[in-house]
């Protein structure tokens, strides 16, 4: 493992599947030591074995994003065991769709807790470490990459609560970007269109049918497409900040 991120440490949330797993693998390939979090520890262990087999360094950290104490422990173990924190990828997320009138407030709370509050708490806990990393070697810059969505830029009927969380991520990221720019802590938002992952699996059969009608006929993105976007953002030289990247499948309108 040898590349632009040699000597750096990255923490990727939601790395047990999909975009997070591909991103951790990509950052490790570029030379970063990676700490990975999610609830499914068996998946994290498999990912870390693959990274190590390829010559990299990986640390699995089972944590529920909705539990601030577990998030704190994951960030602190990353710094204690890997030595520093240069890159935070806030990727963990949940998408439950459907008309607002038919939703339960418990579903809404879960999405806000994971997609928004969890992301904000992780950022808050990680920030002092990122500021410190940006102030010393190796790259004198640090990164927070927040995974929002096209649904964080355009609201759609049938996804009010999910859109609210992803719009929230965009707003939080832009304000934070302005606050941390002087410290050389870059804050970026990635807004994927439809990606072929497990994300939709938590939905009702009616929603799954609607999603298949909408996206079934198009060539959707793969997780690696978004991991490549994140790798590009983090790999920029110190004076270049990519604030936002919206990546759709070519045929998604
Ligand atoms: P996946 O369902 O494959 O990944 C979601 C990840 O989040 C999993 O690793 C899951 O791990 C983790 N996660 C969910 N809940 C929690 C929790 N309570 N605590 C800790 N980790 C949790 O979907 P994607 O890879 O597609 O999603 C990644 C991000 O991309 C999300 O933020 C999503 O909103 C966003 N996105 C995805 C799009 C798509 O079309 N797929 C489009 C636009 C944005 P575990 O279950 O093991 O805890």
């Amino acid at each position: 493992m040898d590349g632009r991120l040699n000597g750096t440490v990255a923490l990727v949330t939601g790395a047990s599947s999909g975009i997070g797993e591909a991103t951790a693998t990509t950052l490790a390939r570029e030379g970063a030591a990676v700490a990975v979090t999610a609830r499914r520890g068996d998946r994290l262990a498999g990912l870390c074995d693959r990274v190590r087999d390829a010559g990299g360094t990986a640390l699995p950290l089972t944590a529920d994003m909705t539990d601030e104490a577990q998030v704190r422990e994951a960030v602190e173990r990353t710094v204690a065991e890997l030595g520093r924190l240069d890159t935070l990828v806030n990727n963990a997320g949940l998408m439950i769709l459907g008309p607002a009138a038919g939703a339960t407030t418990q579903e809404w709370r879960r999405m806000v807790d994971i997609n928004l509050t969890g992301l904000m708490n992780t950022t808050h806990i990680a920030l002092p470490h990122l500021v410190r990393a940006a102030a010393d070697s190796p790259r004198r810059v640090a990164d927070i990459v927040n995974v929002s969505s096209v649904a964080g830029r355009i609201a759609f009927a049938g996804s009010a609560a999910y859109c609210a969380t992803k719009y929230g991520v965009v707003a939080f990221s832009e304000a934070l970007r302005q606050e941390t720019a002087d410290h050389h802590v870059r804050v970026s938002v990635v807004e994927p269109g439809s990606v072929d992952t497990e994300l939709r699996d938590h939905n009702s059969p009616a929603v799954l049918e609607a999603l298949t009608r909408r996206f079934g006929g198009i060539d959707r993105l793969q997780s690696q497409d978004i991991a490549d976007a994140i790798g590009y953002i983090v790999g920029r030289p110190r004076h270049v900040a990519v604030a936002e990247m919206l990546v759709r499948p070519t045929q998604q309108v």
Side-chain angles (χ1 to χ4, degrees), residues 21-222:
E21 182 180 355
T23 299
T25 307
T26 298
L27 298 182
R29 207 178 296 131
E30 287 291 337
V34 291
V36 290
T37 73
R39 292 165 302 176
R40 288 171 293 177
D42 54 333
R43 297 269 201 114
L44 296 179
L47 166 63
C48 290
D49 285 346
R50 289 191 294 282
V51 169
R52 289 185 200 115
D53 287 349
T57 301
L59 177 66
L61 298 165
T62 306
D64 188 324
M65 288 296 295
T66 64
D67 183 329
E68 193 176 340
Q70 290 186 31
V71 173
R72 182 172 298 283
E73 193 187 334
V75 172
E76 283 173 0
R77 276 192 61 197
T78 301
V79 176
E81 296 183 35
L82 299 179
R84 52 190 292 117
L85 181 60
D86 301 86
T87 305
L88 170 64
V89 181
N90 280 312
N91 163 78
L94 175 69
M95 178 187 78
I96 302 176
L97 304 180
T104 66
T105 53
Q106 190 202 5
E107 287 170 356
W108 286 359
R109 214 164 16 251
R110 277 183 68 207
M111 279 193 285
V112 172
D113 286 351
I114 298 167
N115 298 359
L116 189 54
T117 313
L119 176 147
M120 291 166 64
N121 287 343
T122 311
T123 303
H124 186 252
I125 294 164
L127 201 48
H129 301 292
L130 292 161
V131 169
R132 209 168 304 129
D136 68 20
S137 58
R139 300 180 71 228
R140 295 195 305 124
V141 67
D143 284 286
I144 300 169
V145 182
N146 291 331
V147 180
S148 176
S149 170
V150 166
R153 276 292 174 204
I154 305 158
F156 303 97
S159 52
Y162 181 68
C163 287
T165 66
K166 293 301 189 180
Y167 268 70
V169 170
V170 172
F172 179 72
S173 304
E174 173 54 21
L176 186 66
R177 185 190 69 76
Q178 295 169 25
E179 293 176 18
T180 61
D182 272 350
H183 295 286
H184 282 88
V185 177
R186 302 181 290 206
V187 182
S188 310
V189 190
V190 175
E191 296 154 338
S194 183
V195 189
D196 185 8
T197 69
E198 299 171 16
L199 189 72
R200 58 163 65 186
D201 297 354
H202 309 281
N203 285 282
S204 68
V207 168
L208 291 175
E209 213 178 294
L211 288 171
T212 302
R213 266 198 309 277
R214 179 146 183 241
F215 297 111
I218 72 167
D219 192 5
R220 298 167 68 205
L221 298 173
Q222 299 301 312

